[in-house]
Amino acid sequence: MHALIETYDLRGQMRWICAQTDRKRNGELYRCIADSKGAFVQPALYEAFGLTVIEAMNSGLPTFATNQGGPAEIIVDGVSGFHIDPNGGGGGEDATRKMADFFEKCELEPAHWRRISDAGLARIEGCYTWRIYADKTLNMGSVYTFWRVLNKRQKLAKQRYIQLLYNLHFRNLVMTDD
């Protein structure tokens, strides 16, 4: 990646940041990039959940991420961020075009960056907060318990219904079918 930055004279225009493990520093990096009206690009072939995508969007960064796995659900393409197709036939040209179009539009229309940033923040606030996660987890536990109890009742009701059918209809057929 550093060789590509040198080859295309991109110093000062982009930054390749290797994997970070310091959570506090990550937040500072996201905010620093957002303050300079940059973007977060996560070009993985597949991302199981997309925590870095959520972190970046929650920092107000317009985000470009793989359309494979979690980011496909997290990002509303063209509204709260952008999907990148890592398997696209363009060899990265489609992703490059999306990023170039975004920054060109930001040059022509400065409010565009803020619109995507705000939509990303709203998406995270509406779908991916700890409060929402806790509520969903509790609801799933409640639903599971409800269905487990309901299934026992249904099983008992089904057994009673079969017994009723047998006693009212089939038992007489068995007795008269000599």
Side-chain angles (χ1 to χ4, degrees), residues 55-99:
E55 290 171 345
M57 291 172 70
N58 198 43
S59 296
L61 278 170
T63 300
F64 295 81
T66 181
N67 63 358
Q68 306 295 313
E73 182 180 323
I74 297 166
I75 294 172
V76 177
D77 191 35
V79 176
S80 61
F82 302 92
H83 291 149
I84 296 172
D85 183 1
N87 300 312
E93 291 175 16
D94 295 337
T96 303
R97 176 64 15 225
K98 269 191 176 184
M99 287 182 265

Side-chain angles (χ1 to χ4, degrees), residues 88-163:
E93 291 175 16
D94 295 337
T96 303
R97 176 64 15 225
K98 269 191 176 184
M99 287 182 265
D101 288 348
F102 170 74
F103 284 110
E104 285 172 6
K105 190 165 184 178
C106 289
E107 282 286 319
L108 298 172
E109 189 184 331
H112 182 63
W113 189 94
R114 174 61 58 199
R115 251 192 322 276
I116 298 296
S117 173
D118 288 347
L121 286 164
R123 177 76 175 155
I124 298 307
E125 184 64 30
C127 299
Y128 297 99
T129 64
W130 281 112
R131 174 78 176 167
I132 293 168
Y133 177 77
D135 287 345
K136 285 182 179 181
T137 301
L138 290 172
N139 285 338
M140 286 182 352
S142 298
V143 167
Y144 173 74
T145 302
F146 170 76
W147 279 110
R148 195 176 63 202
V149 170
L150 186 62
N151 282 339
K152 285 180 183 176
R153 289 181 186 156
Q154 285 179 335
K155 185 177 180 181
L156 184 58
K158 184 173 67 174
Q159 288 171 338
R160 286 181 182 158
Y161 180 71
I162 291 170
Q163 192 67 35

Side-chain angles (χ1 to χ4, degrees), residues 10-37:
L10 297 172
R11 268 175 284 131
Q13 297 179 45
M14 70 170 288
R15 178 92 178 149
W16 178 262
I17 301 172
C18 62
Q20 300 293 310
T21 56
D22 183 343
R23 291 171 44 198
K24 288 180 183 177
R25 184 173 179 204
N26 284 350
E28 291 173 13
L29 285 169
Y30 290 135
R31 282 307 318 149
C32 182
I33 296 166
D35 289 345
S36 66
K37 299 282 191 265

Side-chain angles (χ1 to χ4, degrees), residues 1-11 13-14 16 91 96:
M1 197 63 195
H2 292 286
L4 289 171
I5 292 170
E6 292 298 321
T7 300
Y8 294 100
D9 195 26
L10 297 172
R11 268 175 284 131
Q13 297 179 45
M14 70 170 288
W16 178 262
T96 303

